[in-house]
Amino acid sequence: MTKPLDDKEQFGLRLGLVARLWRAEIDRRLATFGLTESRWLTLLHLSRLPQAATQRELAEAVGVRGPTLVRTLDRLEAEGLIERRTEASDRRTKSVHLRAEAAPVLERIEATAAAVRAQIFSDLSQAEVTTCLKVLEQIAGKLGGTPSQGRCGLRTKTDEG
């Protein structure tokens, strides 16, 4: 017979579950528009970075390996939503840029994410949300994270915004 998990033991399990459920709900709503999780996460991260990113920087922001991101970028480029440019300073490096055609897709992604957030937070007070954020930042700090990580709204496969 196993003993029940205490609150601290359950915390990490619940945190991972909530992140997966949150992402799955956004994914479910965006699937009707033909957007997969890898595509909408990549576009969202690219739109929230302060400047065009290299493929390596974008892969890190999305939380995937470079080769995984390349397939997603190939598809987004074929659809005319992004373009890759060779960097003059290093011909081996490519930067990724949003095209104007991505604007309506990004609006759909942002609206969907906002609707999910509104639903999730509808019965939580601002104080509860603030307390939760402080706790998560403290935990992230102990795990080597920095305060700036996750500020773009949707971070990686474990952070959602």
Side-chain angles (χ1 to χ4, degrees), residues 94-110:
K94 293 195 184 278
S95 58
V96 183
H97 302 262
L98 285 171
R99 297 191 59 193
E101 291 82 356
V105 177
L106 283 164
E107 287 175 21
R108 188 171 295 139
I109 294 167
E110 293 280 4

Side-chain angles (χ1 to χ4, degrees), residues 120-156:
I120 290 169
F121 292 118
S122 65
D123 60 350
L124 296 175
S125 71
Q126 182 58 48
E128 289 172 313
V129 174
T130 300
T131 298
C132 186
L133 282 173
K134 286 180 182 176
V135 170
L136 291 173
E137 274 200 30
Q138 288 175 353
I139 292 169
K142 290 179 180 182
L143 294 171
T146 62
S148 64
Q149 286 181 323
R151 297 279 189 225
C152 70
L154 290 174
R155 170 80 173 94
T156 65

Side-chain angles (χ1 to χ4, degrees), residues 8 30 63 86:
K8 290 178 183 174
L30 288 173
T86 302

Side-chain angles (χ1 to χ4, degrees), residues 10-149:
Q10 288 185 49
F11 189 89
L13 296 173
R14 295 250 177 109
L15 183 62
L17 174 64
V18 167
R20 284 189 304 276
L21 290 171
W22 191 322
R23 217 176 33 258
E25 181 60 19
I26 294 172
D27 201 38
R28 183 187 67 76
R29 294 183 190 194
L30 288 173
T32 60
F33 303 109
L35 289 166
T36 63
E37 179 182 4
S38 63
R39 292 171 59 222
W40 66 259
L41 271 176
T42 300
L43 288 170
L44 189 63
H45 280 285
L46 188 57
S47 74
R48 292 183 177 180
L49 290 171
Q51 58 193 21
T54 65
Q55 289 184 185
R56 174 179 286 159
E57 292 165 340
L58 185 56
E60 184 178 308
V62 175
V64 298
R65 296 188 183 271
T68 301
L69 181 67
V70 167
R71 288 189 300 272
T72 300
L73 294 177
D74 287 345
R75 177 110 189 241
L76 292 171
E77 192 168 38
E79 293 171 1
L81 300 175
I82 61 132
E83 66 179 341
R84 289 180 271 197
R85 299 178 194 156
T86 302
E87 291 292 306
S89 60
D90 183 350
R91 308 282 301 156
R92 297 168 296 172
T93 302
K94 293 195 184 278
S95 58
V96 183
H97 302 262
L98 285 171
R99 297 191 59 193
E101 291 82 356
V105 177
L106 283 164
E107 287 175 21
R108 188 171 295 139
I109 294 167
E110 293 280 4
T112 300
V116 171
R117 276 193 303 274
Q119 179 182 347
I120 290 169
F121 292 118
S122 65
D123 60 350
L124 296 175
S125 71
Q126 182 58 48
E128 289 172 313
V129 174
T130 300
T131 298
C132 186
L133 282 173
K134 286 180 182 176
V135 170
L136 291 173
E137 274 200 30
Q138 288 175 353
I139 292 169
K142 290 179 180 182
L143 294 171
T146 62
S148 64
Q149 286 181 323

